[in-house]
Amino acid sequence: MKKYFMALSTAALVNVAPYALASSTDLTVTGVITPAACTPSLSNGGVVDNGKISAKDLNPTTSTMIGRHPLKLTVACDAPIQFALNPIDNRAGTGALRTWFGLGLTDAGEKLGHFSIGVSNTLADGVAAQAIESDDNGQSWFRAHGSAPGLLLSVASTTDDSTPLRVKDLTMDFEVRTSIAPANSLTLTDEVVMDGSATFEMKYL
């Protein structure tokens, strides 16, 4: 019975179609294959260890910075190319501000704190350059003094912060600053593990 009904429906559509107004929509698939590939890496395996912090050393009413750790970012490409890094907060929603990376939650569901990343000493193919970032997916750029979730990070010449350079080898100094939320907003009766994590995704421009 089901097949018979479908056959009737099809026949009805065929009879009506010549008298119906035609309409259509287009699908366009685009893209670019780049001959170059880049590999980003961080010194110390990208690990920042703040060690053990005593709860009594935390400020009760304001955030407490517990560490400033240097890391070196290196990007090595097969050939000069425009690229950017997309910082992804793997603990999104646990930082106090969108521009900070979260440290995860306590067992009681409280935001433990955050870490931020400062950027300095940028070298593009051995020449002094400046870090730039974009908050509109690369449509526009401005000078960067740090790296934040969702803001593309790239590099430009020291005289023009509006256009990413074509670079083969890039180095940047990162400073990772870790802060704990006010102690009176946290349940600290047991040990709490800091669980900050970020991924820097390579994007070709």
Side-chain angles (χ1 to χ4, degrees):
M1 181 62 72
K2 184 176 182 182
K3 291 182 178 179
Y4 184 65
F5 177 77
M6 292 177 67
L8 285 177
S9 298
T10 302
L13 288 173
V14 170
N15 287 333
V16 173
Y19 304 98
L21 294 175
S23 61
S24 64
T25 184
D26 295 329
L27 168 64
T28 302
V29 179
T30 65
V32 177
I33 306 299
T34 175
C38 302
T39 302
S41 61
L42 285 167
S43 60
N44 201 41
V47 176
V48 170
D49 185 359
N50 287 287
K52 284 196 172 186
I53 309 298
S54 174
K56 68 179 180 61
D57 293 332
L58 299 177
N59 192 301
T61 58
T62 62
S63 295
T64 305
M65 183 180 290
I66 60 170
R68 302 167 73 105
H69 292 81
L71 289 177
K72 186 172 289 293
L73 169 72
T74 301
V75 180
C77 304
D78 297 334
I81 189 173
Q82 286 180 315
F83 63 82
L85 293 168
N86 177 32
I88 301 169
D89 185 0
N90 297 324
R91 304 295 179 260
T94 68
L97 296 177
R98 183 185 66 83
T99 54
W100 293 339
F101 299 88
L103 289 178
L105 303 174
T106 66
D107 290 339
E110 303 145 342
K111 295 179 180 180
L112 181 57
H114 68 271
F115 67 93
S116 60
I117 300 176
V119 175
S120 62
N121 300 327
T122 300
L123 292 177
D125 294 327
V127 178
Q130 63 175 317
I132 56 174
E133 57 189 357
S134 172
D135 59 6
D136 56 10
N137 202 35
Q139 297 301 307
S140 61
W141 297 89
F142 48 92
R143 186 167 187 175
H145 299 283
S147 180
L151 299 185
L152 294 182
L153 179 67
S154 190
V155 60
S157 72
T158 56
T159 58
D160 177 15
D161 60 8
S162 64
T163 306
L165 288 172
R166 296 174 64 86
V167 180
K168 183 176 184 295
D169 296 300
L170 171 72
T171 61
M172 285 183 182
D173 286 345
F174 278 4
E175 183 180 64
V176 181
R177 306 155 187 159
T178 308
S179 295
I180 304 299
N184 63 9
S185 69
L186 303 173
T187 302
L188 300 173
T189 52
D190 297 307
E191 284 194 348
V192 179
V193 177
M194 298 174 214
D195 190 31
S197 174
T199 298
F200 287 83
E201 176 186 57
M202 180 64 64
K203 295 180 71 73
Y204 299 102
L205 305 175

